Amino acid sequence: MTRATWLLLIGCVLQVHCAVRKALKTHSGDPFDSLPKSFWYEFSSPFTESYDDLTEPEPRTTPDPLPFFEDHANSTNVTTQLGSAVFLHCKVQDLRDRTVSWARRRDNELHLITYGLHTYSSDSRYSLNYQHPNDWRLHIQFANERDEGNYECQVSSHPPLVFYVLLSVVVPKVEIVDERGDAIPDKFYKAGSTIELKCVISQVAQPSSYVTWKHGQRMLNYDTSRGGISVKTDIQPGGAMSSLYIANANKQDSGNYTCSLADVASTTIAVHVLNGENPAAMQHGGCASWARGLGRWALLQLCVTWLLQTFILHR
């Protein structure tokens, strides 16, 4: 190849090279030409890091504390007296948005009584009586023997919490007794003597001195019309003892006498005031002494009546 040919070939290559560089060269008026090549790295790196920082972290939730009963035993026994009002207490801490309900368990079945502040029992004696700050009390008025049993205070947590209450209703025992402490249905007195009746009240959960005496339907505790009447009542452990005194007894003082503990329990005795008969014989001598005390005429009437009945039955 000649020298002229080589020069021509080299000139063509140089022209092509210049054309390619011109085509690839960025327009001279572009404002980004003056920026250093490291700018794009420096600009993009903090932007990317800031984007990562703005990403919301996954929420870290702390569960609410579970409610609990103030009485850590989770059960209690309550005793009340027949006819009294009673509160069944249920103190709940950290209740928050949970609900408290009361139910009664009978024969393995639960019967709803209250839910929240609302009462669902058909028995009007039951109600929810909330006491600030945390006592969800079940109120039972005029407690009776049918109210005895198991009650449950429930909290609607997961799992549910249950507080157990066993209610016992005590029925007082009321007896009019003689000098030996034995219960008697009748008492005999001689006219002009002093009537003395002793009433013993026991099995009382809440001892009270509110003991009343009645002669028939007439209240004797505050009676001033008859005169000579006095009532003395002493509180004793688990009960009371009340004594009635009536001076200078007469026939009008005969009749039924009733000793009562409020409106809860009572007992009645028949008092006989006798003219001329022997009261001791009536009270301790049996049927024969009773017949002699009635007199011969009364005995004759009893015999005639018995004979007539026997005659009619054997006809």
Side-chain angles (χ1 to χ4, degrees):
M1 184 177 294
T2 61
R3 184 176 180 181
T5 304
W6 276 109
L7 291 174
L8 179 63
L9 180 62
I10 292 171
C12 290
V13 171
L14 290 174
Q15 288 180 357
V16 172
H17 177 71
C18 291
V20 171
R21 287 190 61 183
K22 186 177 181 180
L24 294 175
K25 187 177 181 180
T26 307
H27 193 276
S28 60
D30 195 333
F32 294 106
D33 287 346
S34 61
L35 296 176
K37 294 181 179 180
S38 63
F39 170 80
W40 296 107
Y41 175 79
E42 294 173 358
F43 177 79
S44 61
S45 295
F47 180 79
T48 303
E49 292 174 0
S50 298
Y51 180 81
D52 292 339
D53 292 341
L54 292 175
T55 304
E56 293 185 3
E58 294 184 3
R60 298 180 179 178
T61 57
T62 302
D64 292 337
L66 290 175
F68 62 94
F69 297 114
E70 192 171 292
D71 186 346
H72 297 290
N74 287 0
S75 65
T76 187
N77 296 334
V78 177
T79 300
T80 190
Q81 184 174 298
L82 180 70
S84 299
V86 60
F87 288 97
L88 306 186
H89 297 272
C90 181
K91 297 182 179 181
V92 187
Q93 300 283 8
D94 286 333
L95 182 63
R96 297 178 183 264
D97 59 345
R98 283 92 169 187
T99 305
V100 177
S101 60
W102 276 98
R104 183 177 182 186
R105 185 172 292 279
R106 284 182 176 176
D107 301 324
N108 294 325
E109 292 185 0
L110 275 179
H111 302 271
L112 183 65
I113 301 175
T114 68
Y115 185 82
L117 296 174
H118 303 283
T119 302
Y120 291 90
S121 174
S122 58
D123 192 333
S124 61
R125 298 179 303 114
Y126 288 77
S127 63
L128 194 284
N129 189 296
Y130 177 75
Q131 186 178 44
H132 185 78
N134 64 349
D135 194 357
W136 296 80
R137 303 184 302 177
L138 179 63
H139 186 204
I140 306 175
Q141 294 181 315
F142 312 112
N144 57 51
E145 293 175 272
R146 298 190 303 275
D147 296 321
E148 282 192 329
N150 297 297
Y151 294 79
E152 297 183 7
C153 175
Q154 302 182 352
V155 178
S156 62
S157 58
H158 298 286
L161 297 178
V162 183
F163 185 78
Y164 300 94
V165 179
L166 176 60
L167 176 64
S168 301
V169 180
V170 177
V171 180
K173 185 178 181 181
V174 181
E175 293 180 312
I176 297 178
V177 300
D178 59 14
E179 293 78 6
R180 294 172 293 185
D182 298 326
I184 50 175
D186 298 271
K187 196 73 181 287
F188 299 87
Y189 294 94
K190 185 177 181 180
S193 64
T194 299
I195 296 174
E196 179 179 351
L197 302 177
K198 184 182 296 183
C199 180
V200 177
I201 300 169
S202 57
Q203 300 179 10
V204 179
Q206 302 164 1
S208 170
S209 60
Y210 188 56
V211 180
T212 59
W213 285 92
K214 285 185 178 181
H215 178 203
Q217 297 300 317
R218 183 166 60 99
M219 180 79 70
L220 300 178
N221 292 58
Y222 313 104
D223 192 324
T224 58
S225 60
R226 159 66 166 79
I229 300 176
S230 65
V231 175
K232 181 182 179 182
T233 302
D234 297 318
I235 300 296
Q236 296 181 340
M241 185 178 70
S242 183
S243 299
L244 170 67
Y245 302 93
I246 302 177
N248 195 22
N250 55 57
K251 277 286 187 180
Q252 286 71 33
D253 295 320
S254 297
N256 291 331
Y257 286 77
T258 302
C259 173
S260 303
L261 175 62
D263 295 326
V264 176
S266 63
T267 189
T268 299
I269 186 175
V271 170
H272 309 273
V273 179
L274 309 176
N275 288 321
E277 296 88 348
N278 185 358
M282 298 294 181
Q283 290 165 162
H284 305 294
C287 293
S289 298
W290 167 261
R292 287 194 298 270
L294 287 176
R296 293 182 180 180
W297 174 247
L299 180 60
L300 180 61
Q301 285 182 318
L302 290 174
C303 292
V304 171
T305 301
W306 179 79
L307 289 172
L308 289 173
Q309 291 177 344
T310 303
F311 175 75
I312 292 172
L313 291 174
H314 290 80
R315 284 190 63 181

